[in-house]
Amino acid sequence: MKANLNLYCRQLLALVAIFATGCEISKPQTLNPKPHTLSETSEPQNHKTLPPDPNVSRALVVINENSTDAVEIGNYYVQQRQIPSSNVLRMKLPVHYRFPEENFQSQIADPIRAKVKSLKDKIDFIVTTRGFPLAFVNEERRYSVDAWIMTMNLKMEPMSQKPSDDEFRRCISPYLGKNESFSAKKYGFFLVTRLDGFSVADCKRLVDNSLAAKPEKGPFLLDGDPTKNNEQFTRLPQALEKAGEILEQKKYVVNLDTTRVFLSSREPVMGYVTWGSNDASYDKAIYRGIRFKPGAIAETFVSWGARRLTFEDVGQSMIGDLIQSGVTGVKGYVSEPYSIALARPDILFDRYTSGYNMAESFYMASPLLKWKDVVIGDPLCNPYRKK
């Protein structure tokens, strides 16, 4: 593992000079939007009761009992996924997206750690929900709570808001680029995902879509932006094109665009990558109009896409819009992560279509630990699982 970690360090540190200045998205943009009315969200659709996934014992669901939303969503997930009751931790935390960093160990990490230790089955995945704290926001420090839960058993300091090369090296994930099922015992941390969105209905739909997911051949919508195809961003366009090549080699339907057009789709998609509001031709109506097949996953090259998971009509594009549109899994960031932290689409879609679950796919594609990352969706979603 040490040799592999050193390899990743060398690869990623070679990019620091390119990425450390950010990705032109360090401050939310102020848009002048037309009035926007949230589309009506129907109640989650009933679906056939499926046999329990053999991996449910690997998941711990954490529910904030002070939030009625968290209780409703968490109970729904436990019921629909048939999670063992022993694998549910009910906590009482403030119902606010911000959480005091100084209270993390005593109020969040210690109870979760004790629960995991008490269980007979090993835990690899931890699921939080809407109504559970999202971010630490103390002065200039803004981190993802989920990202800290992931590494609560590791003695590691997070990177500073303006990290040095040594800090990047320290926080490189040893799971980056792997091609193997995840094991918390092996790696020393957990994979954390969240059932969150603008509404309870959106969150329940994440669960329904996961259970209804099928191994669709596409389409995969990969929307590049030629204005970002320069020295500062060279790795992201390359990764996007490589993702298209990999999917085409696997005989999937791919729509890869590298022109100035902001891509739309006439049919629901199975995968989506976009520069969102950072695209020079960004069209909010198109972004919000993308529809998704059950099991679809997405990444947006946007710094503040998960700054809140309540609706806002100003600032950078939000991953909550894609959740509302029916995506099953998506990654976002609570504040400027620098482009080195963004999920690599070539790894993400390759692993997902190779039969790894959603959590494994996102985290094999994600370079950094204990940072700004938020992964939305059911970690066990796995439409391409080998039978």
Side-chain angles (χ1 to χ4, degrees), residues 46-311:
N46 293 326
H47 46 71
K48 296 180 180 179
T49 300
L50 301 174
D53 186 318
N55 292 305
V56 295
S57 64
R58 300 169 63 197
L60 174 68
V61 183
V62 182
I63 299 173
N64 181 9
E65 288 198 312
N66 284 338
S67 166
T68 56
D69 286 358
V71 171
E72 184 174 353
I73 296 161
N75 288 344
Y76 185 80
Y77 178 65
V78 168
Q79 177 185 18
Q80 298 301 319
R81 257 298 176 195
Q82 301 180 56
I83 304 290
S85 58
S86 59
N87 286 41
V88 180
L89 174 61
R90 299 182 185 276
M91 309 173 68
K92 292 184 180 294
L93 297 169
V95 184
H96 196 278
Y97 84 99
R98 295 184 176 187
F99 190 80
E101 184 180 322
E102 60 272 17
N103 294 344
F104 172 74
Q105 285 297 329
S106 62
Q107 296 187 21
I108 294 180
D110 288 347
I112 295 177
R113 191 182 294 113
K115 181 65 172 179
V116 170
K117 187 176 181 180
S118 73
L119 294 174
K120 178 181 178 181
D121 295 315
K122 66 175 184 177
I123 294 298
D124 293 314
F125 312 108
I126 297 176
V127 184
T128 62
T129 73
R130 175 181 172 86
F132 192 88
L134 175 68
F136 303 116
V137 185
N138 297 331
E139 298 178 353
E140 294 183 357
R141 291 166 64 86
R142 189 181 182 104
Y143 298 97
S144 160
V145 172
D146 290 359
W148 280 38
I149 294 174
M150 281 182 62
T151 58
M152 63 186 180
N153 287 343
L154 299 179
K155 294 181 179 180
M156 66 177 298
E157 290 296 320
M159 296 190 299
S160 63
Q161 301 301 304
K162 296 181 179 180
S164 65
D165 290 5
D166 287 342
E167 289 178 301
F168 273 119
R169 181 185 293 108
R170 184 182 71 236
C171 292
I172 293 171
S173 170
Y175 196 48
L176 171 65
K178 292 294 187 180
N179 199 341
E180 63 183 31
S181 297
F182 181 76
S183 166
K185 181 178 180 180
K186 176 178 179 177
Y187 287 99
F189 56 89
F190 304 94
L191 301 187
V192 179
T193 70
R194 168 179 291 256
L195 301 173
D196 211 334
F198 292 158
S199 69
V200 170
D202 287 350
C203 299
K204 289 183 175 180
R205 192 178 301 109
L206 291 168
V207 180
D208 292 331
N209 285 343
S210 173
L211 293 171
K214 297 178 180 179
E216 302 280 358
K217 300 300 289 185
F220 291 84
L221 189 65
L222 311 178
D223 190 11
D225 177 3
T227 68
K228 304 297 188 297
N229 197 6
N230 54 41
E231 182 177 329
Q232 185 179 6
F233 303 107
T234 182
R235 291 285 173 163
L236 293 176
Q238 288 176 1
L240 201 61
E241 292 183 16
K242 186 176 179 182
E245 293 173 0
I246 290 171
L247 290 168
E248 287 179 344
Q249 289 171 359
K250 291 184 170 185
K251 308 301 182 184
Y252 290 100
V253 179
V254 180
N255 187 356
L256 169 64
D257 186 83
T258 57
T259 71
R260 293 183 67 97
V261 174
F262 193 76
L263 275 186
S264 61
S265 178
R266 295 182 178 180
E267 61 176 311
V269 303
M270 194 63 183
Y272 184 43
V273 180
T274 176
W275 286 89
S277 56
N278 292 303
D279 192 303
S281 302
Y282 175 63
D283 186 310
K284 184 187 296 186
I286 291 177
Y287 178 78
R288 290 176 171 169
I290 299 293
R291 293 296 177 262
F292 299 91
K293 295 181 178 180
I297 59 175
E299 165 68 304
T300 70
F301 297 155
V302 177
S303 291
W304 295 73
R307 61 190 179 274
R308 295 283 297 273
L309 284 163
T310 52
F311 177 71

Side-chain angles (χ1 to χ4, degrees), residues 11-24 163 168 228 230-239 275 336-342 344 367:
Q11 291 174 335
L12 287 176
L13 287 172
L15 306 182
V16 169
I18 298 174
F19 293 136
T21 56
C23 50
E24 293 185 354
F168 273 119
K228 304 297 188 297
N230 54 41
E231 182 177 329
Q232 185 179 6
F233 303 107
T234 182
R235 291 285 173 163
L236 293 176
Q238 288 176 1
W275 286 89
E336 173 59 68
Y338 303 112
S339 56
I340 194 172
L342 305 179
R344 287 278 303 271

